[in-house]
Amino acid sequence: MPSPDFAAGSPVNAKRRRWRILALVVLGAVVLTLGASVWITASWLSDIPRIPERDALWQMRRTPGMRFLDHDGAVIAARGAKYGARVGLGDLPPFAPKAFLAAEDRRFYRHGAIDPQGILRAARRDLELGRAAEGGSTLSQQLARTLFLDSRHSLKRKFQEAVLASRLEDELGKDGVLELYLNRAYFGAGAYGLDSAAHTYFGKAATALTLPEAAVLAALPNAPTRLAPTTNMAGAWARARRVLGAMRREGWLSADDAARAEVSPPELSTVSASEGDWSYVLDQAATQAANLVGAQANDLVVRLTVSAKLQAAGLAAVRAGVLGAGKGRAVSQGAMVALASDGAIRVMVGGLDHRASAFNRATQAKRQPGSAFKPFVYGAAMEAGDKPTDTRVDAPIALGGWTPENYGGGFAGTVTLAKALALSINSVAVRLTLEVGPSQVAAFARRCGLSDIPPNPGPSIALGAYEVTPLELASGYQVFQNGGARTTPYLIEAISDTAGRALYAHVATAGGQALDPLYASRMVRMLEGVITGGTGTAAAIGRPAAGKTGTSQHWRDAWFVGFTPDLLAAVWVGNDNGRPMSKVTGGEIPAAIWKRFMTAAEADQPVSDFAWLQPEPQEIPADADTTDMTEGPLVLDEPMASEPREAAPRGDPGNDDDRADPAAPPPIDTDEDRRERALDRPSPERDEPLSSPPPPS
């Protein structure tokens, strides 16, 4: 008879079954872990780049340098990676390589591709301080990362880094790794390699470095931006002194030499010719060039659309306007972008001083355009069947508590649309928007290139309640300049490498017809009226030109956008923090900036009108006999729509309960003589901020 201990369902058997199940689970987990580890390791190994042969390693460059040319082919500046002459260990002063070993890897010749002791030391240091304070990567690992990997922190990258470091040491040996590291490390300011860094910061070859200079450069690969000598010499020198101390402790430097070096901080060379007025342009161009051609082994030659002459004139005009006329008016910044008729960017002024602020206000700052948006309202109205000679009533209008008013108060009564745009009358722009429909105005603006305008805005879109950049607004105005045809702004004409191989060339593409040429003609004539007898008279340059002023609520932004047949410029002034200016309007400082720039830009150009302008079609009287017309088909005043458009009440669309009777006299300024005189003389800027905020859209 079997022992009770072994009976089915006995406690002993149940316990053994549990242990067996646990053992199987543990074994399965181990097998799965090992399998996953093998699979992950194989996957990571398959992603590791192949180490090229020794000579090819010296040709590897992660980031190309760029040489920029202006529109006329003159060299503007060099940017990006700068690689100096190749230097061998024997070419350098003996202390130079040792300074780098003291800073980065003192046991370099005493460990393999990875340093377990260094990893433990770094981990202990990080635990003590509670943060990542010290790295455990060897110099070989740093070189592998520089040549082949990105800087993201991950277990996969550390694994691949270790494998590549081992392969580099197998290929080059310790001396070869150190030499290649010194020629490929990044030192900030676009300088790759010790020779490039020596020229960049000290104006000399690496072979002529002094001990303090070598110590400063050895401090940089650890933090090339934070410790850049050009901006933080104190920080760079503090770390350089620690490097000198480490060299002395390793026996690579005598106590006397170290003491003398520690009290002799080096002097930077005279700063080389800077990018000056081109910095905002080059920021934009460098990013675009990299996106257009991707990573390239050779340095690049980038030809831009910007004109050196016009760029200088644009910056001078912006600075004169902000620092001159804007003095005492609470204006601190300005921006300008100018476009050729095909969209080529001829001028890009992103601010007054790139060194003080690298933020490009021409391409990045989204601000409310105020009445500079009104041409898109009128363009949509022209497309819907209105004409410049049509009239509306400038009278009070209320929309759910929103009561748009004209600058200075008062209303002008019945005015033509041409006059309303020239004087930037707010109530008429709002009425037109309600007639056409805010969504149709938004659709037209987006068709012109203002892509961020929402599809279903509120009526406040009539007065520019939505934000745009100067470049976007300039691009939108090109629809009017070019007879309704849309263009796309572009900054780069061509890219080649230093060997002359063409990598990119701009190809003009048709942007489509955003507006019928007849309606575009009407818009140009009305926008000419802004300059000849409206809010933009300060922008008159004595030749055919059209444009529009704009001022956002509380005078936070002031604009002038205008164009001649061959050049268009958009000007913005204001403050980065949105602080209101001292009642600066678009018809003042921005118009004066535009005039100064365009006068210089057009000085050598013959006077010409817009060659594409179309005359108004001949209207045929309703009672005319057309039964025997032999000179051609009937020319209609407007294109026929698929369905007849219901005529909107002149001056009083929508719900009559919320608006004044268009037949009634204006409730303010009822003196007819005074009103007529106001219409017959140039008016001050009328596109000022609203007395009450617009309704939510």
Side-chain angles (χ1 to χ4, degrees):
M1 182 174 178
S3 169
D5 290 342
F6 293 94
S10 70
V12 172
N13 279 345
K15 184 175 182 180
R16 287 181 177 178
R17 281 197 301 273
R18 286 196 297 271
W19 277 107
R20 287 170 183 164
I21 293 172
L22 179 61
L24 288 173
V25 169
V26 171
L27 179 61
V30 170
V31 170
L32 286 174
T33 301
L34 289 175
S37 299
V38 171
W39 182 84
I40 291 173
T41 302
S43 173
W44 289 355
L45 284 171
S46 66
D47 288 342
I48 295 178
R50 183 181 63 85
I51 299 291
E53 296 180 357
R54 182 183 297 256
D55 290 341
L57 275 170
W58 279 94
Q59 300 300 319
M60 290 186 64
R61 295 182 177 187
R62 292 297 302 272
T63 306
M66 296 183 188
R67 187 166 78 251
F68 296 94
L69 313 180
D70 70 4
H71 175 58
D72 297 318
V75 176
I76 300 168
R79 226 189 211 203
K82 295 175 286 188
Y83 294 90
R86 175 176 174 175
V87 291
L89 297 181
D91 302 324
L92 297 167
F95 53 73
K98 292 176 180 177
F100 284 86
L101 294 179
E104 299 295 334
D105 193 352
R106 298 170 207 170
R107 301 181 59 254
F108 177 68
Y109 284 99
R110 303 197 295 272
H111 61 64
I114 60 174
D115 181 13
Q117 181 178 326
I119 295 172
L120 291 174
R121 182 185 67 249
R124 184 171 61 250
R125 177 71 170 162
D126 293 348
L127 287 173
E128 290 173 355
L129 297 178
R131 58 184 176 85
E134 185 173 333
S137 295
T138 65
L139 191 144
S140 299
Q141 288 175 277
Q142 293 179 43
L143 177 62
R145 182 168 63 245
T146 298
L147 292 178
F148 300 105
L149 304 173
D150 57 44
S151 57
R152 288 176 295 181
H153 294 282
S154 67
L155 186 60
K156 176 181 179 180
R157 197 215 70 189
K158 295 300 291 185
F159 172 80
Q160 293 178 329
E161 187 180 279
V163 173
L164 287 168
S166 178
R167 293 177 181 176
L168 282 172
E169 290 200 358
D170 290 343
E171 177 69 26
L172 301 174
K174 287 287 189 179
D175 284 350
V177 167
L178 177 57
E179 185 174 302
L180 186 56
Y181 172 86
L182 292 176
N183 283 273
R184 285 295 178 269
Y186 181 58
F187 292 87
Y192 285 81
L194 186 57
D195 190 63
S196 178
H199 281 287
T200 297
Y201 295 113
F202 302 116
K204 60 175 66 174
T207 55
L209 287 170
T210 65
L211 177 57
E213 291 167 347
V216 167
L217 295 182
L220 293 183
N222 180 263
T225 301
R226 180 170 56 85
L227 298 179
T230 50
T231 57
N232 186 15
M233 188 59 178
W237 181 238
R239 179 165 169 79
R241 293 183 66 184
R242 292 198 293 272
V243 171
L244 293 170
M247 293 176 70
R248 179 177 52 79
R249 289 190 296 274
E250 292 292 329
W252 298 336
L253 200 61
S254 70
D256 289 343
D257 288 342
R260 282 193 296 271
E262 287 179 1
V263 296
S264 305
E267 293 185 5
L268 295 177
S269 66
T270 302
V271 179
S272 59
S274 68
E275 297 168 354
D277 301 342
W278 290 93
S279 296
Y280 291 108
V281 176
L282 299 184
D283 286 350
Q284 193 83 2
T287 300
Q288 290 187 12
N291 291 336
L292 286 171
V293 301
Q296 296 290 326
N298 295 327
D299 290 348
L300 303 177
V301 179
V302 184
R303 183 161 181 159
L304 306 178
T305 60
V306 179
S307 160
K309 174 187 173 183
L310 298 185
Q311 178 72 12
L315 184 60
V318 172
R319 285 178 175 167
V322 174
L323 302 177
K327 188 175 183 180
R329 304 287 303 275
V331 184
S332 64
Q333 273 296 349
M336 174 192 288
V337 62
L339 307 177
S341 58
D342 67 342
I345 297 174
R346 294 286 184 248
V347 174
M348 182 182 287
V349 177
L352 299 188
D353 187 350
H354 185 274
R355 292 170 299 181
S357 170
F359 181 66
N360 190 334
R361 295 154 190 85
T363 62
Q364 296 174 283
K366 286 190 170 291
R367 310 298 292 249
Q368 288 192 2
S371 289
F373 184 82
K374 286 178 182 174
F376 302 101
V377 174
Y378 281 77
M382 295 299 108
E383 195 171 51
D386 286 305
K387 297 187 290 295
T389 54
D390 291 344
T391 60
R392 296 294 187 278
V393 174
D394 176 24
I397 182 170
L399 298 171
W402 179 45
T403 55
E405 298 178 358
N406 295 321
Y407 180 49
F411 295 89
T414 302
V415 294
T416 65
L417 296 187
K419 196 73 170 180
L421 182 59
L423 298 181
S424 200
I425 296 175
N426 287 335
S427 69
V428 174
V430 174
R431 293 179 192 279
L432 287 176
T433 297
L434 293 173
E435 291 177 17
V436 175
S439 61
Q440 290 301 106
V441 172
F444 175 68
R446 288 197 304 275
R447 219 187 312 148
C448 293
L450 278 61
S451 57
D452 288 340
I453 302 298
N456 297 301
S460 59
I461 191 176
L463 306 183
Y466 297 94
E467 297 177 336
V468 295
T469 67
L471 181 59
E472 289 170 341
L473 195 57
S475 177
Y477 269 65
Q478 282 215 298
V479 168
F480 307 124
Q481 182 196 30
N482 290 333
R486 180 178 170 181
T487 59
T488 301
Y490 67 100
L491 181 60
I492 296 177
E493 290 182 354
I495 304 174
S496 62
D497 61 18
T498 50
R501 181 168 60 102
L503 304 175
Y504 167 83
H506 173 76
V507 177
T509 56
Q513 196 74 18
L515 186 64
D516 186 276
L518 173 62
Y519 307 145
S521 299
R522 292 172 176 172
M523 286 303 306
V524 168
R525 291 306 188 205
M526 286 196 291
L527 291 171
E528 286 180 323
V530 173
I531 294 177
T532 59
T535 59
T537 54
I541 57 174
R543 64 170 63 216
K548 184 68 186 75
T549 55
T551 312
S552 68
Q553 194 170 8
H554 302 309
W555 298 279
R556 289 190 174 96
D557 309 280
W559 300 76
F560 188 84
V561 187
F563 52 88
T564 63
D566 49 17
L567 191 63
L568 181 150
V571 177
W572 167 87
V573 301
N575 297 295
D576 288 337
N577 59 6
R579 182 186 63 190
M581 296 176 286
S582 182
K583 296 188 177 181
V584 174
T585 67
E588 297 177 281
I589 295 175
I593 291 172
W594 188 89
K595 176 178 181 176
R596 174 171 176 155
F597 166 70
M598 293 296 286
T599 298
E602 299 279 5
D604 298 329
Q605 299 297 320
V607 176
S608 62
D609 201 352
F610 298 89
W612 54 267
L613 288 177
Q614 295 189 7
E616 283 293 324
Q618 291 283 336
E619 291 194 19
I620 302 174
D623 58 351
D625 182 5
T626 59
T627 58
D628 188 25
M629 297 181 65
T630 59
E631 296 190 9
L634 174 66
V635 178
L636 297 176
D637 181 34
E638 302 290 343
M640 291 293 290
S642 57
E643 295 182 6
R645 175 174 177 267
E646 182 178 346
R650 300 293 84 179
D652 189 26
N655 185 349
D656 292 340
D657 295 337
D658 295 334
R659 297 169 179 82
D661 181 355
I668 301 176
D669 195 11
T670 57
D671 187 329
E672 188 67 20
D673 294 334
R674 183 171 54 186
R675 183 167 60 250
E676 290 302 323
R677 287 196 300 271
L679 291 175
D680 290 337
R681 67 176 183 268
S683 170
E685 176 73 51
R686 302 179 67 92
D687 53 0
E688 288 307 318
L690 307 175
S691 59
S692 59
S697 58

